[in-house]
Amino acid sequence: MFVSYKWLENYVDLSGVTPEDLAEKITRSGIEVEGVERTGAEIKNVVVGHVLECEQHPDADKLNICQVDVGEEEPVQIICGAPNVGKGQKVAVAKVGAVLPGNFKIKKAKLRGEASHGMICSLQELGVEGKLVPKEHADGIYVFPEDAEVGSNAVELLNLDDAILELGLTPNRSDCLSMLGVAYEVAAILDRGVKLPEAGQSSGEEKASDYVTVNVEAKEDNPLYGAKIIKNVKVGPSPMWMQNALIAAGIRPHNNVVDITNYILLEYGQPLHAFDYDRLGSKEILVRRAKDGETFVTLDDTERTLSSSQLVITNGEEPVALAGVMGGANSEVQNDTTTVLLEAAYFTGAIVRGASKDHGLRSEASTRYEKGVDPDRVLKAGERAAALMAEYAGGEVLEGTVLFDEMNVEPAVVEITLEKINASLGTAISVEEVKDIFRRLQFDVSVDGTSFTVTAPTRRGDITIPEDLLEEVARLYGYDNLPLTLPKGESTPGGLNNHQLKRRTVRRYLEGAGLLQAITYSLTNDDKAAKYALDVKEPVRLLMPMSEERSNLRLSIIPQLLEVVSYNKARQNDSLAFYEVGSVFLQESGEELPMEEEHIAGALTGLWHSHPWQGEKKAVDFYVAKGILEGLFQELGVYESVSFRQASMDGLHPGRTAEILLDGEVIGIIGAIHPEVEKELDLNETYVFEVKASPVFRYEKPALSYSPIPRHPSITRDIALVVDTDVKAGDLKSVIQEAGGKLLKEVSVFDLYEGEHMEPGKKSLAFSLKYFDPAKTLTDEEVVKVHDGVLAAVKEKAGAELRG
């Protein structure tokens, strides 16, 4: 809601309160003011000028030489290219030395050999948005009314010295979608009175009921409908003050009749609609539900297909307006309109909201109906609008309002006690202070001891329960004045649970290892939904997807991370490392909703390390990705329980892929992206991993333990074993560790040899074995005995022979 400070002054005394002060006070009372804009703060030295002479430039077809009286001793010559400039006009003139928006300074100039001492301005050049400029001035200069004083400040006349407050209203404060609603709010804050506008009275001798009848079939949707008739209307521009008010509120002026309905909408918060009476085609207004398939052309010249869930205003037969949303082209007020039927009605929020949503029509009127208008202002708004049409459109308001009224809205009566107020707010407010707050709000209140019975006016439809009154007391007493107290009673210090701690550990470790966090969509398309899934499940498809690209819940994070890598590589980022801790969604048979499971995933490509000065580079490979995971498992305390096993998966390289096992259970996958997929996504060699978080997080990390520095030496033996080519190094290592017993502390692979001097189908694997006893120095005999047992075990279980 845009609120003009100068317009607001018509209803509340704002003396001594600057727009910035007012914005601060409103914000502190519970309605956020998102900004204060002083529209013409930059403009200087712009006055009203009178065009005395206007002749075509001798050397330019589109320029005119104007002699303009600007209130000085002599007229000034100004060259103007506006197509609508003419002799006798009152115009806005930026004199030499003037400053326009954008710090544009006006200087003396020569145009095609003729001197120009200033500029005749359009509204756009004075800072008004083009979409708000009246159509008659949209392509040229602005022309003031004839009574504008020559030499007077044009900025003040156009209200460009105003300040506009932008209110960020919450849905419950629809009462402030009007100038009067804001006036009541400001008056309560400042403890000042509200000056209400006079509604006006009928002036004609004829009766409106002789011209129209009103019938309502859909009484639940439209309990109140009033129609007024204004004859002898002359459609033309609205007065400048009204146009200024509408522009300040972000509404484009059209003509006096339409502008008056918009002005009242902003002033009272009550939408009105003006019909051309002669174009209605009947003397009847019938409000009913639309018929399914019925068509209707709205004011934007769009044909709408209606349904029975929507409410229409008809002439007894065909629709002339979509109730509360938009009028019809068949009854639009035009330049030749002479008689106006003015509608002032109450439509329920639900019926307007449904129609607005169905047709994609969002208007100032529908916004207010949706949130609820004040039923007490409906007819008053109609009376005031009719009086303004009589004053500014020369109309004659016929006697009476043709009315359908089955409105039965009683003001809300709410009770609250002083004890509840003080107990909730932690204050010691007195009965008189609370009573005074309700007085400032203009709520009727009766007091019985320390109990308050409050009757909230119908304009405040948000007041329904004691807590609403509590909020009103708190905000007008001042949130800043509430005492600062600590809560009483026992409390538990906050902290992270085990799952949250583990998740934070994962993030810190991976970021410390050099990976960047990515956050990707949980939604994907049919092709990617089940790709790289650890659990084979049927993907969950959305009932109403926003697009086919986001139509399924994902079963794996890897496809989204590959999209991130591809996106960055396309922007010349070749060395990348990303991780994501996110959810996948698994649908179990018989379950209505999918199960959400947290996974840890990563994707790496390009160089892992680059030291140009030393001439060293290390490209990402399988063991870089595996090392990152092993470090993570070490950090989480599950390293000893994790193992890797060669595996295959669609989309991954068949020779560089492994399953990740925790106590023998598969919990993840690691591997290189298949070359065909890399080509499809235009990727370099890329490695990925994905691990289920829950099995890892369930492990309790062992406490840190201290091992003293060894006092006794260790003995190392290196062995090269010849085995079949299908024997895996990991299986052989497990056999060695099992056979070595307590004395064997470390086993590591340091060489693999295949080729010349090896039998076909054979390979050589070299291991380094470290033997150690923390309690004593080992003898050769003890080591030989254990070592021989190791050699016997590998020969028996893996067919391994010592390489000669």
Side-chain angles (χ1 to χ4, degrees):
M1 175 70 181
F2 294 102
V3 177
S4 161
Y5 179 86
K6 295 183 76 172
W7 189 358
L8 188 62
E9 283 185 309
N10 295 332
Y11 314 110
V12 185
D13 179 12
L14 298 179
S15 58
V17 184
T18 67
E20 289 73 19
D21 291 340
L22 182 60
E24 179 70 16
K25 292 177 184 295
I26 294 174
T27 298
R28 288 180 179 273
S29 72
I31 296 176
E32 182 184 4
V33 178
E34 297 179 351
V36 179
E37 181 184 0
R38 290 186 175 270
T39 51
E42 300 175 273
I43 304 175
K44 297 177 182 177
N45 212 15
V46 178
V47 300
V48 175
H50 182 208
V51 181
L52 302 176
E53 299 291 340
C54 181
E55 297 178 355
Q56 185 175 328
H57 193 293
D59 297 322
D61 293 339
K62 295 184 178 181
L63 296 179
N64 296 288
I65 301 175
C66 302
Q67 305 299 323
V68 185
D69 178 8
V70 292
E72 298 177 352
E73 292 182 3
E74 296 290 334
V76 295
Q77 178 171 294
I78 297 175
I79 309 300
C80 180
N84 64 329
V85 68
K87 180 180 178 179
Q89 293 175 339
K90 299 286 184 69
V91 294
V93 176
K95 299 195 293 185
V96 173
V99 180
L100 299 182
N103 199 30
F104 180 67
K105 297 178 181 178
I106 303 300
K107 302 177 182 178
K108 294 180 181 179
K110 272 194 174 184
L111 297 176
R112 296 288 181 91
E114 296 290 339
S116 182
H117 299 273
M119 183 172 79
I120 300 176
C121 301
S122 67
L123 288 181
Q124 293 95 320
E125 289 164 335
L126 294 176
V128 178
E129 285 188 76
K131 66 180 182 180
L132 300 179
V133 175
K135 289 183 179 180
E136 62 266 26
H137 305 306
D139 297 323
I141 60 169
Y142 181 77
V143 180
F144 287 102
E146 293 182 2
D147 58 356
E149 183 181 347
V150 174
S152 61
N153 191 327
V155 173
E156 291 182 3
L157 275 179
L158 292 169
N159 258 20
L160 294 178
D161 59 339
D162 197 4
I164 308 300
L165 284 66
E166 184 179 356
L167 305 189
L169 298 175
T170 51
N172 64 311
R173 291 307 305 271
S174 61
D175 60 296
C176 287
L177 282 171
S178 67
M179 294 300 297
L180 288 180
V182 175
Y184 276 110
E185 179 71 12
V186 171
I189 294 169
L190 302 179
D191 194 10
R192 298 178 183 179
V194 177
K195 296 174 284 186
L196 297 178
E198 294 183 7
Q201 298 292 329
S202 301
S203 59
E205 296 179 359
E206 297 178 276
K207 293 182 179 180
S209 56
D210 295 335
Y211 281 73
V212 69
T213 61
V214 172
N215 295 294
V216 177
E217 290 181 358
K219 300 176 182 179
E220 296 80 9
D221 305 322
N222 177 209
L224 177 61
Y225 191 101
K228 296 193 73 64
I229 301 294
I230 303 96
K231 290 180 61 179
N232 302 324
V233 168
K234 295 179 181 177
V235 177
S238 56
M240 187 169 64
W241 65 264
M242 186 177 291
Q243 292 189 30
N244 293 341
L246 295 178
I247 290 172
I251 294 178
R252 183 179 198 169
H254 292 277
N255 57 55
N256 47 9
V257 174
V258 174
D259 290 354
I260 286 168
T261 61
N262 285 331
Y263 181 83
I264 296 301
L265 175 139
L266 293 170
E267 184 178 50
Y268 278 73
Q270 171 61 46
L272 304 173
H273 187 69
F275 298 96
D276 185 320
Y277 176 80
D278 296 320
R279 287 185 170 90
L280 278 177
S282 79
K283 292 186 175 183
E284 179 184 9
I285 290 291
L286 173 65
V287 184
R288 60 169 172 81
R289 288 290 185 101
K291 301 170 185 175
D292 287 322
E294 189 173 16
T295 60
F296 164 62
V297 179
T298 47
L299 283 172
D300 55 0
D301 292 324
T302 302
E303 185 174 84
R304 312 281 177 178
T305 302
L306 309 177
S307 72
S308 58
S309 63
Q310 296 156 13
L311 190 69
V312 290
I313 315 301
T314 75
N315 61 4
E317 296 293 334
E318 61 179 7
V320 292
L322 185 57
V325 180
M326 187 174 284
N330 55 0
S331 58
E332 179 183 6
V333 171
Q334 299 180 20
N335 291 335
D336 59 351
T337 297
T338 58
T339 304
V340 170
L341 186 152
L342 182 65
E343 167 193 284
Y346 183 96
F347 303 117
T348 59
I351 196 74
V352 174
R353 187 182 302 112
S356 176
K357 181 180 177 182
D358 291 345
H359 294 286
L361 284 173
R362 188 80 175 166
S363 63
E364 294 284 347
S366 66
T367 298
R368 285 159 176 79
Y369 275 127
E370 287 174 21
K371 292 178 171 60
V373 299
D374 180 5
D376 188 49
R377 287 189 194 155
V378 175
L379 300 181
K380 293 177 183 177
E383 293 285 355
R384 175 150 167 78
L388 290 176
M389 287 183 192
E391 184 174 358
Y392 295 107
E396 177 187 345
V397 182
L398 302 194
E399 183 182 343
T401 300
V402 183
L403 193 63
F404 172 85
D405 185 4
E406 290 194 3
M407 194 80 185
N408 184 22
V409 176
E410 295 294 331
V413 179
V414 186
E415 296 182 354
I416 194 170
T417 64
L418 185 66
E419 290 76 17
K420 179 176 177 62
I421 292 172
N422 284 327
S424 300
L425 302 181
T427 54
I429 307 175
S430 67
V431 169
E432 289 303 316
E433 286 177 297
V434 174
K435 186 178 178 181
D436 188 60
I437 287 172
F438 291 139
R439 175 194 62 78
R440 288 161 57 188
L441 289 165
Q442 300 193 29
F443 290 1
D444 292 334
V445 59
S446 61
V447 183
D448 182 8
T450 59
S451 296
F452 302 89
T453 302
V454 178
T455 302
T458 54
R459 62 183 168 83
R460 290 298 303 273
D462 58 313
I463 307 296
T464 56
I465 58 176
E467 284 71 20
D468 295 328
L469 294 179
L470 185 65
E471 181 182 4
E472 296 299 301
V473 172
R475 66 189 192 84
L476 286 184
Y477 180 73
Y479 291 124
D480 293 346
N481 296 324
L482 298 181
L484 302 175
T485 56
L486 292 173
K488 297 179 180 179
E490 296 182 0
S491 61
T492 303
L496 302 177
N497 60 33
N498 181 66
H499 184 89
Q500 292 167 331
L501 284 169
K502 294 285 180 69
R503 186 166 54 193
R504 181 171 291 185
T505 299
V506 169
R507 290 173 57 187
R508 286 180 174 171
Y509 172 80
L510 292 176
E511 287 166 8
L515 281 72
L516 299 175
Q517 185 182 21
I519 300 174
T520 62
Y521 278 117
S522 297
L523 299 174
T524 186
N525 58 32
D526 292 330
D527 296 334
K528 296 178 183 176
K531 204 167 186 179
Y532 303 110
L534 298 179
D535 296 297
V536 180
K537 302 285 184 183
E538 188 68 25
V540 179
R541 184 172 176 83
L542 303 186
L543 290 176
M544 297 178 65
M546 65 180 83
S547 69
E548 283 303 313
E549 273 301 304
R550 307 294 175 196
S551 58
N552 289 267
L553 291 170
R554 66 184 177 189
L555 293 173
S556 169
I557 301 175
I558 290 175
Q560 276 70 42
L561 285 181
L562 292 179
E563 286 181 2
V564 174
V565 173
S566 178
Y567 179 90
N568 280 272
K569 183 182 178 298
R571 285 152 182 80
Q572 299 182 350
N573 297 319
D574 295 325
S575 297
L576 304 163
F578 294 106
Y579 81 92
E580 180 173 2
V581 180
S583 296
V584 301
F585 302 86
L586 310 175
Q587 181 72 61
E588 299 292 342
S589 59
E591 294 293 330
E592 183 178 356
L593 296 175
M595 178 181 70
E596 187 172 348
E597 186 174 89
E598 195 167 44
H599 284 195
I600 305 163
L604 305 94
T605 189
L607 294 177
W608 183 242
H609 292 300
S610 178
H611 302 291
W613 189 257
Q614 290 83 7
E616 296 176 357
K617 290 183 179 180
K618 168 64 177 174
V620 170
D621 59 18
F622 179 88
Y623 296 102
V624 168
K626 182 171 179 283
I628 291 171
L629 276 180
E630 287 176 331
L632 176 60
F633 294 143
Q634 185 79 45
E635 191 74 15
L636 294 172
V638 298
Y639 176 73
E640 300 298 331
S641 302
V642 170
S643 60
F644 295 83
R645 182 173 67 196
Q646 187 173 356
S648 62
M649 175 182 279
D650 288 344
L652 294 181
H653 194 292
R656 302 178 191 171
T657 302
E659 292 176 330
I660 305 168
L661 295 89
L662 179 63
D663 291 336
E665 176 191 353
V666 177
I667 62 164
I669 195 79
I670 179 173
I673 296 300
H674 196 285
E676 291 181 357
V677 178
E678 289 176 348
K679 184 178 180 181
E680 179 185 337
L681 297 176
D682 192 24
L683 298 176
N684 297 328
E685 190 171 316
T686 302
Y687 291 83
V688 295
F689 62 81
E690 185 162 354
V691 179
K692 297 179 181 179
S694 296
V696 178
F697 289 178
R698 281 199 296 267
Y699 265 69
E700 286 297 327
K701 186 176 182 179
L704 288 175
S705 59
Y706 166 73
S707 297
I709 297 173
R711 299 177 59 190
H712 306 284
S714 60
I715 297 176
T716 302
R717 294 280 190 271
D718 293 343
I719 57 175
L721 302 175
V722 178
V723 294
D724 294 338
T725 53
D726 60 351
V727 174
K728 296 180 176 62
D731 295 339
L732 204 54
K733 181 180 177 181
S734 298
V735 173
I736 293 171
Q737 287 175 322
E738 184 179 352
K742 294 181 179 180
L743 293 183
L744 182 59
K745 298 302 182 185
E746 293 180 16
V747 181
S748 59
V749 182
F750 69 87
D751 186 48
L752 164 65
Y753 179 74
E754 292 178 298
E756 191 179 357
H757 307 305
M758 293 297 301
E759 296 179 32
K762 296 289 185 178
K763 66 181 177 181
S764 171
L765 286 168
F767 293 86
S768 180
L769 287 67
K770 181 183 284 189
Y771 297 97
F772 172 68
D773 188 339
K776 64 177 183 177
T777 300
L778 290 173
T779 64
D780 286 342
E781 290 78 8
E782 290 172 320
V783 173
V784 168
K785 181 180 179 180
V786 176
H787 195 65
D788 287 343
V790 169
L791 296 176
V794 296
K795 181 175 183 179
E796 178 185 346
K797 295 183 178 180
E801 296 285 349
L802 271 176
R803 183 178 174 187

